[in-house]
Amino acid sequence: MEQIKAGQGFIAALDQSGGSTPKALRLYGIEEDTYSGDAEMYDLIHAMRSRIAQAPAFTGEKVIGAILFEMTMDRTIAGKPTATFMWEDRGVVPFLKVDKGLEAEVNGAQMMKPMPDLDALCDRAVKAGIFGTKMRSVINAANADGIKANVAQQFEVAKQIIAHGLVPIIEPEINISIPDKAAAEDLLLAELKAHLDALAEDQTVMLKLTLPETPNHYKALVDHPRVASVVALSGGYSRAEANARLAKNAGVIASFSRALTEGLSAQQSDDEFNATIADTIDSIYQASIAG
């Protein structure tokens, strides 16, 4: 908790799900016609994540946390359970992605699908040494009803997760391509603040938000006593633009996925790979501590 609250660094998002894994592998230089079936696909993405996690620059000095896919939590890196390796060997706080994808859009928002096995998954996460969780929903319009329902669901599930002793990352992502993005950000800020104000003193959450149109738009959330940290998703922005936007938001740190792996390739030698990821980590770290 001290490491997460201090915020000198960023949180790596290594939690591509089954739906986004083929794209992640393709960007990594592995085409879909070179593997067959989910088992082989997941082996390849775990090999990519393991390579990132074992890179010399991937340590708690600049990467304070990492969000893991459930199957990643259940696997090993360098002979240790992944969460144990992250914390003991790299000094990186492990989180677990717990959502099961998105519902169809209603009132400009996509809610999270039901998670009937969430309690059992949280129990497994605690035993595996996981510190917190992450769950994503999406906002596609500045629709007050949609945003209200979206945030209410996030906090309802967050309280269920907190009851297991885990710290939930609440992620109501605003689509960066919508024309009324700034208006959606105003509505989201109000809803988040209302729900945070209603939390008990022993209930702590984190927030993962789309980089706003107005710098420091979420300052009230950064300063809120119930919030351990506010992190930003790259959301489809290039790493350069995401870093530039992030640097204008004081107290907000990165939690990038695609922007983290940009430029990495399965075909790179270890020296080339490690040099590329080191440069990437440093650029995201500098943007995270700016402002």
Side-chain angles (χ1 to χ4, degrees), residues 26-143:
R26 191 162 59 250
L27 292 170
Y28 184 54
I30 300 176
E31 297 294 336
E32 289 179 63
D33 60 4
T34 63
Y35 58 88
S36 59
D38 284 354
E40 197 172 340
M41 177 183 75
Y42 285 124
D43 285 346
L44 288 167
I45 198 72
H46 186 69
M48 182 188 87
R49 291 167 178 154
S50 298
R51 198 178 186 193
I52 291 169
Q54 293 178 92
F58 193 91
T59 72
E61 184 180 344
K62 294 180 179 177
V63 184
I64 61 171
I67 304 167
L68 309 175
F69 185 52
E70 182 180 346
M71 199 174 289
T72 310
M73 176 185 75
D74 293 336
R75 294 187 181 220
T76 61
I77 298 177
K80 287 187 177 184
T82 301
T84 304
F85 173 83
M86 286 287 185
W87 182 241
E88 291 185 354
D89 291 46
R90 312 308 281 167
V92 174
V93 177
F95 292 80
L96 176 67
K97 169 188 161 68
V98 295
D99 68 84
K100 301 300 181 187
L102 301 169
E103 297 276 27
E105 183 177 314
V106 177
N107 291 329
Q110 289 177 272
M111 309 276 278
M112 297 180 290
K113 287 182 177 177
M115 293 173 256
D117 301 323
L118 181 60
D119 286 320
L121 180 57
C122 286
D123 286 341
R124 283 176 49 219
V126 170
K127 288 175 183 172
I130 295 289
F131 171 80
T133 63
K134 191 214 77 164
M135 50 191 173
R136 172 178 173 263
S137 51
V138 174
I139 295 164
N140 291 312
N143 180 305

Side-chain angles (χ1 to χ4, degrees), residues 218-230:
Y218 296 120
K219 184 71 164 58
L221 308 181
V222 173
D223 296 337
H224 201 284
R226 302 281 76 78
V227 177
S229 182
V230 177

Side-chain angles (χ1 to χ4, degrees), residues 9 11 18-19 26 62 70 74 142 150 161 167 211 228 242 254 259 269:
I11 295 175
R26 191 162 59 250
K62 294 180 179 177
E70 182 180 346
D74 293 336
N150 192 303
I161 291 165
V167 177
L211 289 157
S269 69

